[in-house]
């Protein structure tokens, strides 16, 4: 397996193939998990009130916050570690053979087992952070919760179960890190699929059972579902990763590394720790910007409004989570492999001189072409979102969620979300590029800008919720402004990066044709006219399908 891995990091075409396979696995995983979640949500909506859904959203935010701060920066940093070691290994082996050294003497320091043990050791930092973070965030949640939340049935038990589930999920990081390093996307897909299935079955089963016996369990079904997710996730990862330990000579328990330079406490790679620390400082601001809407709406609105916003945002972000998120994750790994910053290359893997080698030029061209094509694809999807979504999505929500939710703000929020999705997609892929190739100083510069963006978002959010009283729909506007600012900075970074490499980069290369844009405006007008007489009949859906199909052909 290690030989295949080395070959993939040295041949750009193989990198693209692995990235495409990984993106496919992750997209299929998202489709499967979201389909299961969607089905369960349709069942739960018949048994839950907006208040309970709002509380479950708060608990989910608690879990997401702990997981994000415990592991996200390390995950991104470890994606850089892979290419650094793999590129250097063949050259080191080659040099050692020329000097008459035997391979066994090199393997403990630079072999596949060493690389795997490095990522395992580093992943224990996430576990060490996970326990105190779980405790601190749980205490903060109880202190900030309002009387209506604290009066909910089983709220303390639900929080405790969520805390246990969150820490157990963090404990799966050593196995996840090995799977990620070795590009075992199938293992990850299997683990998350079975875990998601368990969560859906437990959550849905508990909610239905409580309704049948007339018991009010509050948000406890969601907590037990999350606990089952964490248990199954760990079990499947261990089942698949543990057998590799003996094959590649590493352990899933933290242990000292063979003595080399750039080690901290004989266990942690100093260069990766430096990157992780810079990313960690940035992750605080990024998390505030990413989940800031949930934080603001939890603090400044009622539970029914929180439930309506949760429902609309969950449906509205389905495309982002199913398609865009897997593409961002696989693209970040691809950019890191193709465009590793010059200062991170070892002398043996970098040619000295004013001109780059042919493999480096080929990698640069492939990365540029890939990013342009992906951004162009995103703009086409954006046209569909803004042309068809605002009219179609609220009417579909009426059919899916039932009449209970049509009287809430959810339809209006969902319509506004369709304009926000394109910004979410563009920002995601641009920031994936930045996080993959930026130097520590550039990451600190980005963090400084994100601090300014966080202030702008918080100020805008307060005005739309409290001063202008735009409600949750106004919060989508605040999110959109935040995304525009982040896109502006990331776009400037990408442009400067390619300009420094002698590659032209302009916005005209990713924009759709004018004919596509005009057709989108015509399709949007046609759907609004048809929506005025919508009654949910078969003829209405046939008309909608005709308009959407025509526009799809035009694109």
């Amino acid at each position: 397996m290690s030989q295949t891995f080395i070959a993939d990091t040295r041949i750009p075409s193989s990198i693209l193939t692995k990235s495409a396979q990984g993106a496919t696995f992750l997209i299929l995983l998202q489709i499967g998990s979201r389909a299961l979640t969607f089905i369960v949500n349709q069942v739960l909506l018949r048994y839950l009130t907006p208040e309970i859904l709002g509380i479950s959203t708060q608990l989910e935010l608690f879990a997401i916050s702990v997981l994000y701060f415990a592991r996200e920066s390390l995950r991104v940093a470890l994606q850089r570690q892979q290419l650094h070691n793999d590129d250097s290994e063949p050259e080191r082996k080659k040099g050692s053979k020329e000097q008459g050294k035997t391979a066994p003497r090199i393997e403990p320091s630079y072999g596949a087992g060493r690389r795997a043990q490095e990522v395992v050791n580093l992943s224990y930092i996430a576990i060490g952070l996970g326990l105190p973070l779980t405790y601190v965030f749980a205490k903060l949640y109880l202190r900030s919760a309002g009387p209506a939340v604290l009066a909910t049935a089983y709220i303390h038990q639900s929080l405790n179960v969520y805390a246990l589930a969150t820490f157990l999920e963090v404990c799966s990081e050593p196995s996840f890190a090995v799977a990620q390093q070795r590009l075992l996307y199938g293992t990850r897909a299997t683990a998350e699929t079975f875990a998601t299935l368990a969560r859906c079955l437990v959550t849905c089963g508990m909610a239905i059972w409580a309704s049948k016996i007339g018991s009010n369990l509050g948000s406890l079904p969601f907590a037990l579902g999350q606990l089952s997710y964490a248990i199954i996730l760990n079990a499947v990862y261990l089942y698949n990763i543990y057998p590799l330990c003996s094959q590649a000579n590493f352990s899933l328990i933290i242990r000292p590394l063979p003595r080399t330079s750039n080690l901290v406490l004989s266990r942690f790679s100093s260069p990766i720790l430096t990157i992780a620390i810079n990313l960690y400082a940035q992750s605080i601001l990024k998390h505030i910007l990413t989940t800031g809407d949930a934080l603001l709406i939890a603090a400044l609105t009622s539970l029914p409004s929180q439930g309506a916003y949760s429902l609309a945002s969950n449906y509205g972000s389905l495309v982002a989570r199913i398609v865009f998120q897997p593409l961002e994750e696989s693209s970040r790994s691809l950019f890191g492999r193709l465009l590793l910053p010059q200062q991170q290359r070892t002398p043996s893997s970098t040619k000295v001189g004013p001109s780059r080698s042919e493999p480096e030029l080929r990698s640069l061209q492939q990365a540029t072409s890939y990013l342009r094509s992906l951004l162009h694809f995103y703009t086409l999807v954006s046209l569909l979102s803004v042309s068809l979504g605002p009219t179609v999505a609220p009417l579909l929500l009426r059919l899916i969620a039932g009449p209970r939710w049509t009287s809430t703000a959810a339809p209006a929020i969902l319509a506004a979300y369709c304009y926000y999705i394109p910004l979410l997609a563009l920002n995601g892929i641009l920031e994936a590029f930045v996080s993959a190739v930026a130097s520590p100083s550039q990451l600190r510069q980005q963090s400084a800008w994100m601090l300014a963006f966080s202030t702008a978002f918080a100020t805008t959010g307060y005005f739309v919720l409290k001063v202008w009283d735009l409600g949750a729909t106004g919060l989508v506007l605040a999110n959109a402004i935040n995304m525009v600012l982040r896109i502006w900075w990331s776009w400037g970074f990408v442009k400067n990066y390619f300009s420094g490499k002698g590659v032209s980069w302009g916005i005209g290369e990713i924009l759709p044709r004018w004919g596509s844009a005009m057709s989108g405006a015509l399709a949007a007008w046609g759907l609004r006219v048809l929506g005025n007489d919508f009654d949910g009949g078969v003829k209405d859906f046939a008309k909608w399908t005709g308009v959407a199909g025509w526009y799809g052909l035009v694109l």
Side-chain angles (χ1 to χ4, degrees), residues 77 190 247 422 493:
T190 301
Q247 298 176 17
F493 176 92

Side-chain angles (χ1 to χ4, degrees), residues 114 244 279 292 294 351 386 389 429 485 504:
R114 156 65 184 257
L244 299 178
L279 289 170
K351 289 192 175 183
V386 301
I429 192 62
L485 292 174
S504 62

Side-chain angles (χ1 to χ4, degrees), residues 344-541:
Q344 285 190 311
R345 292 188 183 272
T346 59
S348 59
S349 62
T350 304
K351 289 192 175 183
V352 179
S355 60
R356 288 182 292 273
S357 63
E358 183 179 346
E360 288 176 332
L361 288 173
R362 185 167 62 250
S363 295
L364 178 63
Q365 292 169 355
Q366 289 185 324
T368 307
S369 176
Y370 175 83
L371 182 58
R372 282 174 178 162
S373 300
L374 195 55
L375 287 172
H376 181 68
F377 167 72
Y378 277 12
T379 59
L380 295 178
V381 175
S382 299
L383 279 179
L384 287 173
S385 177
V386 301
S387 300
L388 310 181
T391 302
V392 174
L395 299 177
L396 289 178
L397 181 65
R398 182 197 306 176
L399 299 176
I400 295 172
R404 173 187 293 183
W405 295 91
T406 56
S407 59
T408 68
I413 299 171
L414 187 58
Y417 223 89
C418 293
Y419 295 103
Y420 171 63
I421 290 173
L423 301 176
L424 194 67
L426 293 173
N427 176 73
I429 192 62
L430 290 173
E431 287 194 349
F433 183 91
V434 174
S435 64
V437 304
S439 65
S441 61
Q442 290 169 329
L443 291 174
R444 289 192 292 270
Q445 182 183 20
Q446 185 188 26
S447 298
W449 279 99
M450 281 194 171
L451 179 61
F453 299 157
S454 300
T455 304
F457 171 72
T459 303
T460 307
Y462 176 82
F463 272 91
V464 298
L465 290 175
K466 282 296 185 182
V467 179
W468 298 327
D469 196 24
L470 297 179
T473 304
L475 195 57
V476 179
L477 173 62
N479 267 323
I481 295 174
N482 164 41
M483 283 297 164
V484 168
L485 292 174
R486 291 168 68 175
I487 290 171
W488 166 76
W489 190 92
S490 297
W491 180 268
F493 176 92
V494 173
K495 184 175 182 179
N496 291 335
Y497 178 88
F498 283 122
S499 296
K501 304 282 187 182
V503 178
S504 62
W505 184 264
I507 193 171
E509 298 166 321
I510 67 169
L511 291 177
R513 299 187 303 270
W514 279 105
S516 300
M518 296 299 295
S519 300
L522 183 60
W525 173 80
L527 286 176
R528 287 192 178 91
V529 172
L530 294 175
N532 294 331
D533 299 324
F534 179 82
D535 59 9
V538 176
K539 291 184 178 180
D540 290 325
F541 283 105

Side-chain angles (χ1 to χ4, degrees), residues 122-408:
L122 287 164
S123 66
Y124 272 86
I125 297 177
I127 297 177
L129 291 172
L131 189 58
L133 284 173
T134 301
Y135 177 80
V136 169
F137 275 95
K139 288 295 184 182
L140 289 175
Y141 177 79
L142 290 176
R143 288 190 177 184
S144 61
V149 174
L150 297 176
T152 305
Y154 296 100
I155 182 62
H156 289 86
Q157 293 87 338
S158 299
L159 180 60
N160 290 336
V161 174
Y162 250 102
L164 175 61
T166 303
F167 181 69
L168 287 177
E169 187 171 347
V170 175
C171 289
S172 68
E173 280 304 292
S175 299
F176 172 88
V178 174
Q180 186 79 354
Q181 184 200 53
R182 291 172 171 262
L183 305 180
L184 302 178
Y185 292 108
T187 297
R188 178 180 173 184
T190 301
E192 295 189 16
T193 298
F194 278 102
T196 301
L197 179 61
R199 178 173 57 192
C200 292
L201 291 176
V202 171
T203 303
C204 193
M206 288 293 297
I208 295 175
W209 175 77
S211 177
K212 294 294 183 182
I213 66 173
S215 177
N216 178 20
L217 296 182
S219 56
L220 191 58
F222 291 93
L224 293 173
Q226 191 65 27
L227 180 61
S228 66
Y229 177 92
I231 293 174
I232 298 300
L233 187 73
N234 275 277
V236 177
Y237 267 133
L238 286 174
Y239 177 80
N240 286 277
I241 300 300
Y242 185 75
L244 299 178
C245 295
S246 59
Q247 298 176 17
N249 190 28
F250 70 93
S251 173
L252 290 176
I253 304 298
I254 187 172
R255 69 182 187 185
L257 296 168
R259 182 169 297 179
T260 59
S261 60
N262 294 327
L263 285 181
V264 177
L265 301 177
S266 301
R267 289 167 173 82
F268 307 110
S269 169
S270 178
I272 303 304
L273 276 180
T274 302
I275 293 291
I277 290 171
N278 282 281
L279 289 170
Y280 194 85
Q282 184 187 105
S283 70
I284 298 175
L285 298 173
K286 187 174 289 188
H287 182 70
I288 293 174
L289 291 173
T290 302
T291 62
D293 55 347
L295 295 172
L296 283 175
I297 202 166
L300 301 178
T301 62
S302 63
L303 283 177
S305 295
Q306 294 176 40
Y309 184 81
S310 173
L311 180 72
S313 61
N314 282 335
Y315 282 130
S317 59
L318 272 178
V319 175
R321 286 177 292 183
I322 290 175
V323 179
F324 299 146
Q325 184 178 334
L327 283 174
E328 291 165 17
E329 188 171 337
S330 60
S331 297
R332 184 169 56 214
S333 179
L334 172 66
F335 293 138
R337 291 169 181 272
L338 291 176
L339 302 174
L340 188 69
Q342 186 72 21
Q343 64 269 26
Q344 285 190 311
R345 292 188 183 272
T346 59
S348 59
S349 62
T350 304
K351 289 192 175 183
V352 179
S355 60
R356 288 182 292 273
S357 63
E358 183 179 346
E360 288 176 332
L361 288 173
R362 185 167 62 250
S363 295
L364 178 63
Q365 292 169 355
Q366 289 185 324
T368 307
S369 176
Y370 175 83
L371 182 58
R372 282 174 178 162
S373 300
L374 195 55
L375 287 172
H376 181 68
F377 167 72
Y378 277 12
T379 59
L380 295 178
V381 175
S382 299
L383 279 179
L384 287 173
S385 177
V386 301
S387 300
L388 310 181
T391 302
V392 174
L395 299 177
L396 289 178
L397 181 65
R398 182 197 306 176
L399 299 176
I400 295 172
R404 173 187 293 183
W405 295 91
T406 56
S407 59
T408 68

